[in-house]
Amino acid sequence: SISPALHSVTHHNFLFFFFVSKGNSELPTAVNITWSSINFKTILQWQPEPTTYVYTVEISGINSNWEKVCIHTKETECDVTDKLEKIKDTYTAHIVPEMLSETEKFEEPSYAISPKFTPYNQTKIGRPGIQTYELTDSKLKVLVEDPLTPYRFPNKSFKSIRDIFKNDLEYTLYYWKDQSTGKVTSKSNQFEISVDKGKNYCFYVQATILSRKENRKSQESKVNCTHQRDVLDGTYLVKQVNRLSLSQ
């Protein structure tokens, strides 16, 4: 039987472990394996770049079988999005270096094991959009546009993060004018807040995934203002945005 040797690699303050099987000792084992994922678009990355060999990626969830993807690639990344559609499952990948020559065909290849990855808990949420906004009298109305994911409904339309997270998704609207700031949260994509009549406001939105302990907040949307000219001078605008960010 094969007695694997345990190795470890430190990368970006995370300690990743992998096992090396006995076999072709001339092939280096992949290191610095990371999952790069935003809005469920997920790329597996590793090092080093291959020279006289290639890589094959094997991936499996706790509730799914092993599948091969990016077979015999000379790249050091692999788009595994299509293999992670069971978004609440927890996945592991093997990065397998291989020689293409027939003489090496029967060698036991070494391989590296990735950290575990659960898309629902770990994918980063991208920047939401502002679909429409309107300032009338003393009301500011804002409609948020959800980021889309790569996953589709049976009718081929793309699922949004709202379709996936449902009530686990909450938006926060941050707004300000002159020397005052405010924020309000909503489980829906619509905001309607009372504002001072005749005053202009600037605002942005940010999503929060309520069940998460890490990576809870999305990227911030672009800042919008309720008229064509800059409401605030640039220095004050930056101060206000920083002040709101620090208060989160």
Side-chain angles (χ1 to χ4, degrees):
S1 62
I2 297 171
S3 177
L6 180 64
H7 289 243
S8 66
V9 173
T10 302
H11 179 61
H12 295 313
N13 298 324
F14 292 96
L15 189 63
F16 298 157
F17 293 94
F18 55 85
F19 291 87
V20 180
S21 303
K22 288 182 179 178
N24 192 336
S25 59
E26 295 181 2
L27 295 181
T29 303
V31 296
N32 296 344
I33 305 170
T34 57
W35 303 85
S36 177
S37 183
I38 185 165
N39 297 335
F40 297 98
K41 171 81 169 177
T42 304
I43 309 294
L44 189 65
Q45 299 172 313
W46 63 90
Q47 294 174 335
E49 291 188 9
T51 52
T52 58
Y53 57 97
V54 293
Y55 288 109
T56 293
V57 176
E58 301 171 340
I59 191 165
S60 173
I62 293 174
N63 301 309
S64 59
N65 297 323
W66 287 98
E67 293 186 72
K68 290 186 177 182
V69 63
C70 298
I71 298 171
H72 296 163
T73 180
K74 292 190 72 71
E75 304 295 328
T76 54
E77 65 177 37
C78 180
D79 187 338
V80 293
T81 304
D82 291 346
K83 304 301 180 183
L84 309 183
E85 199 156 2
K86 295 177 181 178
I87 55 172
K88 292 189 177 182
D89 203 351
T90 297
Y91 295 88
T92 304
H94 291 171
I95 313 298
V96 186
E98 299 175 310
M99 297 294 292
L100 288 178
S101 64
E102 290 295 320
T103 57
E104 303 291 344
K105 185 175 179 181
F106 300 105
E107 293 273 0
E108 180 81 34
S110 60
Y111 62 88
I113 302 177
S114 74
K116 295 184 184 300
F117 180 74
T118 306
Y120 189 91
N121 295 333
Q122 292 177 261
T123 193
K124 294 181 179 178
I125 306 302
R127 170 181 285 180
I130 303 297
Q131 188 168 333
T132 61
Y133 65 89
E134 181 184 17
L135 180 63
T136 55
D137 293 331
S138 59
K139 294 288 184 183
L140 174 62
K141 298 179 181 180
V142 179
L143 182 60
V144 180
E145 184 175 16
D146 297 314
L148 296 178
T149 77
Y151 299 128
R152 297 177 184 260
F153 288 107
N155 67 3
K156 303 303 181 183
S157 63
F158 289 103
K159 295 179 180 180
S160 70
I161 63 166
R162 171 68 70 188
D163 295 318
I164 290 176
F165 289 109
K166 298 182 170 57
N167 288 335
D168 202 11
L169 171 65
E170 179 180 84
Y171 282 110
T172 303
L173 175 73
Y174 298 89
Y175 59 95
W176 63 93
K177 70 167 180 66
D178 300 332
Q179 299 297 320
S180 65
T181 65
K183 67 178 181 178
V184 60
T185 60
S186 174
K187 285 289 190 72
S188 77
N189 290 44
Q190 299 181 50
F191 292 90
E192 183 174 324
I193 60 172
S194 297
V195 295
D196 294 339
K197 188 173 182 179
K199 296 288 185 178
N200 285 305
Y201 286 79
C202 290
F203 59 91
Y204 68 88
V205 297
Q206 189 174 35
T208 302
I209 307 303
L210 299 174
S211 65
R212 289 184 176 183
K213 294 181 180 179
E214 298 179 348
N215 290 329
R216 298 186 77 235
K217 294 186 179 294
S218 74
Q219 299 171 4
E220 297 168 358
S221 74
K222 292 181 178 179
V223 173
N224 285 264
C225 295
T226 57
H227 70 355
Q228 299 300 318
R229 296 175 292 108
D230 290 338
V231 173
L232 306 168
D233 69 81
T235 302
Y236 182 71
L237 180 60
V238 170
K239 284 182 179 178
Q240 291 295 74
V241 171
N242 289 340
R243 181 173 152 195
L244 286 165
S245 298
L246 290 171
S247 67
Q248 294 174 38

